[in-house]
Amino acid sequence: MPHLNLPASKRVRQWRVLDLISAAFFGLVFLFFMLVFTPAGDSLAASGRQTLLLSASADPRQRLHVAAAIEAGQQSRVIDACPADTAADHMPCEDPRLNSQLSREMNYYRERHCPPLETSPLCLVPPPKGYKVPVQWPESLHKIWHSNMPYNKIADRKGHQGWMKLDGPHFIFPGGGTMFPDGAEQYIEKLGQYIPMNGGILRTALDMGCGVASFGGYLLAQNILTMSFAPRDSHKSQIQFALERGVPAFVAMLGTRRLPFPAFGFDLVHCSRCLIPFTAYNASYFIEVDRLLRPGGYLVISGPPVQWPKQDKEWSDLQAVARALCYELIAVDGNTVIWKKPAVEMCLPNQNEFGLDLCDDSDDPSFAWYFKLKKCITRMSSVKGEYAIGTIPKWPERLTASPPRSTVLKNGADVYEADTKRWVRRVAHYKNSLKIKLGTPAVRNVMDMNAFFGGFAAALNSDPVWVMNVVPSHKPITLDAIFDRGLIGVYHDWCEPFSTYPRTYDLIHATSIESLIKDPASGRNRCSLLDLMVELDRILRPEGTVVVRDTPEVIEKVARVVRAVRWKPTIYNKEPESHGREKILVATKTFWKS
């Protein structure tokens, strides 16, 4: 065969093409090894999964179309599971990947920051591998399944202080804390030397920076109901551990905004090494504590700066703020200080080094949903009624006595009394006719999404449960009356995710569920029932129960939606004594795995 002589220019072009093909081939081989054998592949794969997950809901119109079709029964779609490796402890409004980009001034980046609903993944959070039905109360106070929250960080770092330890298949909780390594019971007994911890004088408490909430857990023996809170931080899932134990807890950060509680709701406020700089920013954080603390209530701070090495200035400033507000110093015991708030406005904080003054009469101290901290002292006279310690009834009489602040509505006392009787009948119907597991060890953590005066929670008082009473932010402010009854709760907008970890409630109750997502002015939905049910699925434990009361039309719509989130619904008639057209839906979350 004759030899083919190509021109030199063509031979050069031919070799360039071969070089490019070879380079591309070896580049692909290199990329393959990178993806398979290095962490970069895991990161890229996770990123790709998230993109695919978001693509179904990236278009708001598509999201609305899917929700409307499911609610109308035109589509029988089942919502997909979120990626298991990225969603086990998913909290949309406390996502450190998003919040880390925000300002650190006054811990703004650690507060709630919710992504736009239309950009949030429309998926169901699966349980972690090996998840089991939680240990039941009261045994859960002392041990939980390790597989339900396989996070060893707190046990490794705080085990020597008695927070928690790994013991075979369980985490166990000896009851200790950083400032009480010998146990919460001994610490509470010490506080009892200075504070009336029993006898019903104190009922509601706030534990700031609570860790795994052993302080609040052991206060239950004194009939003191504690709202424990901490931010999502380096101590991974501390609030999730608290809730898995069956102790009331909530994810929150004292930063630039008021905490979502009413004024003068807590009889006792406690900080055990919570590391809150109470005197910083012109004592803004002490002022917020003062807003929350009931007149005649007690403030306990253990740990720095109280008689702490190298913190003399901070300790001196803390005492100066307390004096400016006329707090009575009860005791300084080691690194623990106890103050009592005056029951009446004894003095005006006009002359003090912090420039503190009283708020004007236009301030409503119970507005606390996305409400910026104020640098003024809440006037006790701004809230009418006899609600100070010593004048408000003791527990348990407080539960049924007409709350002094129920006058928020016209004929408030009459409405309150009727509401209380109504919920006694309704809860009896739930237990006797609907076979809901209230009153059994299967139900411990309960939420009432539309609590009003807390009648549902009050009717459960004899059950081994605690109830998170939620007052929607766009409804009448009745949360103060709930606290006056000796119950606890928060403000919330149900078109946003709730500040808790996945799988933290056994039973969720809702009356007039569609009103929770409607704009009160226009009557239009601000979000969809599907979005709301996906959020409830996130916070409900597997095999948990949801109870919904509403009109037959709404109940039918809710039934279609709950099937889309893999729940099993049953519709019942209301109790015979009730008037109106209500139906009751009872749905059980199935125990599925991705």
Side-chain angles (χ1 to χ4, degrees):
M1 179 177 291
H3 184 71
L4 184 62
N5 291 315
L6 293 175
S9 61
K10 288 188 177 181
R11 289 199 302 271
V12 170
R13 284 197 298 271
Q14 184 183 47
W15 282 111
R16 284 177 178 171
V17 172
L18 290 173
D19 288 342
L20 290 172
I21 293 173
S22 298
F25 173 76
F26 284 110
L28 290 171
V29 171
F30 177 75
L31 181 61
F32 171 78
F33 278 95
M34 285 285 291
L35 293 176
V36 173
F37 296 108
T38 72
D42 297 336
S43 177
L44 188 59
S47 174
R49 284 193 297 270
Q50 187 71 4
T51 302
L52 290 172
L53 183 66
L54 291 171
S55 65
S57 56
D59 184 350
R61 292 171 298 180
Q62 183 183 3
R63 187 189 190 96
L64 290 172
H65 174 75
V66 170
I70 290 175
E71 290 174 17
Q74 299 169 357
Q75 194 176 102
S76 57
R77 175 177 173 177
V78 175
I79 305 301
D80 293 333
C82 303
D85 58 342
T86 58
D89 60 352
H90 180 51
M91 286 193 296
C93 298
E94 286 85 8
D95 188 340
R97 295 171 300 178
L98 301 177
N99 293 3
S100 62
Q101 305 170 25
L102 303 173
S103 170
R104 293 178 174 263
E105 180 69 14
M106 292 185 72
N107 283 313
Y108 175 74
Y109 76 109
R110 292 169 75 181
E111 294 181 300
R112 280 176 60 88
H113 300 285
C114 303
L117 190 59
E118 61 270 15
T119 67
S120 300
L122 196 61
C123 62
L124 306 180
V125 177
K129 184 178 179 180
Y131 183 85
K132 302 177 182 179
V133 173
V135 176
Q136 294 182 345
W137 181 265
E139 189 180 6
S140 61
L141 179 63
H142 307 289
K143 71 176 185 180
I144 64 171
W145 294 114
H146 173 267
S147 56
N148 286 10
M149 278 171 296
Y151 312 129
N152 295 355
K153 191 171 185 178
I154 298 180
D156 293 341
R157 291 190 175 187
K158 302 291 185 178
H160 66 287
Q161 295 174 351
W163 282 40
M164 55 187 287
K165 298 178 181 179
L166 183 60
D167 183 19
H170 296 102
F171 279 123
I172 61 171
F173 300 86
T178 303
M179 296 306 299
F180 44 92
D182 295 328
E185 289 178 304
Q186 183 183 38
Y187 177 71
I188 291 169
E189 185 177 340
K190 183 181 81 168
L191 295 182
Q193 299 173 20
Y194 311 105
I195 299 175
M197 301 294 280
N198 49 37
I201 296 174
L202 305 183
R203 168 59 181 173
T204 55
L206 180 68
D207 189 17
M208 304 183 291
C210 63
V212 294
S214 287
F215 179 72
Y218 283 90
L219 273 182
L220 291 169
Q222 311 292 332
N223 279 322
I224 296 177
L225 186 60
T226 305
M227 176 72 82
S228 299
F229 82 85
R232 177 174 184 149
D233 63 3
S234 59
H235 293 153
K236 190 178 181 75
S237 300
Q238 53 187 325
I239 292 300
Q240 194 175 16
F241 282 116
L243 288 161
E244 187 78 3
R245 299 176 70 188
V247 179
F250 181 71
V251 176
M253 181 68 202
L254 186 51
T256 67
R257 301 188 290 253
R258 287 176 173 176
L259 293 170
F261 310 118
F264 309 145
F266 294 100
D267 307 338
L268 169 68
V269 176
H270 175 258
C271 155
S272 174
R273 202 178 175 85
C274 64
L275 302 181
I276 294 173
F278 290 105
T279 60
Y281 311 106
N282 283 72
S284 292
Y285 296 145
F286 201 112
I287 291 171
E288 174 63 358
V289 169
D290 181 76
R291 181 185 73 88
L292 298 173
L293 186 59
R294 189 180 297 276
Y298 294 86
L299 171 61
V300 178
I301 299 177
S302 290
V306 181
Q307 299 196 136
W308 205 262
K310 300 181 181 180
Q311 294 202 24
D312 294 344
K313 169 106 174 32
E314 292 83 355
W315 172 222
S316 177
D317 287 347
L318 183 62
Q319 295 176 87
V321 175
R323 284 194 301 269
L325 271 62
C326 298
Y327 278 45
E328 177 188 356
L329 179 62
I330 301 297
V332 179
D333 187 337
N335 299 121
T336 299
V337 61
I338 302 171
W339 281 293
K340 183 176 182 180
K341 179 177 178 176
V344 295
E345 283 174 338
M346 295 169 52
C347 65
L348 299 178
N350 290 330
Q351 297 183 3
N352 57 82
E353 59 193 277
F354 297 93
L356 302 179
D357 204 349
L358 293 172
C359 298
D360 58 43
D361 292 331
S362 64
D363 175 60
D364 188 332
S366 286
F367 282 160
W369 181 246
Y370 287 111
F371 196 97
K372 286 189 176 182
L373 290 177
K374 286 203 168 188
K375 295 183 179 179
C376 57
I377 307 301
T378 298
R379 293 177 181 266
M380 297 181 197
S381 58
S382 66
V383 178
K384 308 301 181 183
E386 297 294 330
Y387 53 86
I389 300 294
T391 61
I392 194 168
K394 295 181 181 180
W395 180 264
E397 290 79 13
R398 189 190 297 191
L399 182 68
T400 52
S402 180
R405 292 185 273 186
S406 65
T407 54
V408 67
L409 300 175
K410 187 178 180 180
N411 300 321
D414 294 337
V415 173
Y416 162 78
E417 186 175 350
D419 184 72
T420 300
K421 293 178 180 178
R422 182 185 303 118
W423 279 110
V424 170
R425 295 195 305 268
R426 288 177 173 181
V427 168
H429 181 64
Y430 289 173
K431 293 179 177 179
N432 299 331
S433 300
L434 276 55
K435 307 303 180 185
I436 298 172
K437 296 179 181 178
L438 287 166
T440 74
V443 177
R444 171 61 184 169
N445 300 348
V446 178
M447 174 184 286
D448 189 1
M449 297 173 63
N450 192 10
F452 193 43
F453 281 138
F456 173 67
L460 296 175
N461 182 53
S462 61
D463 291 357
V465 302
W466 69 273
V467 181
M468 178 69 84
N469 292 283
V470 181
V471 172
S473 57
H474 62 281
K475 297 225 173 185
I477 297 178
T478 53
L479 193 55
D480 48 8
I482 288 173
F483 274 83
D484 285 349
R485 300 186 75 172
L487 306 172
I488 56 175
V490 295
Y491 298 114
H492 184 64
D493 180 350
W494 281 112
C495 279
E496 294 184 4
F498 194 76
S499 287
T500 192
Y501 284 88
R503 302 172 302 281
T504 47
Y505 285 89
D506 300 303
L507 186 142
I508 300 175
H509 180 268
T511 55
S512 304
I513 192 168
E514 205 166 42
S515 72
L516 305 181
I517 61 175
K518 281 188 179 297
D519 182 279
S522 67
R524 295 178 181 176
N525 285 353
R526 299 175 296 118
C527 57
S528 70
L529 273 175
L530 180 62
D531 287 314
L532 180 57
M533 289 299 169
V534 168
E535 169 61 7
L536 296 189
D537 182 83
R538 184 184 71 87
I539 67 179
L540 188 66
R541 288 171 169 172
E543 299 187 2
T545 303
V546 170
V547 181
V548 179
R549 300 180 67 101
D550 216 311
T551 65
E553 295 80 11
V554 172
I555 290 296
E556 287 294 337
K557 190 187 301 184
V558 172
R560 291 190 284 268
V561 176
V562 300
R563 292 187 186 97
V565 295
R566 314 185 192 192
W567 299 354
K568 294 180 179 179
T570 304
I571 298 175
Y572 298 93
N573 291 322
K574 65 184 187 308
E575 53 279 354
E577 304 90 347
S578 293
H579 302 292
R581 300 176 56 244
E582 283 184 320
K583 291 279 188 178
I584 303 171
L585 178 141
V586 179
T588 302
K589 177 178 176 178
T590 55
F591 195 161
W592 58 270
K593 299 179 181 179
S594 58

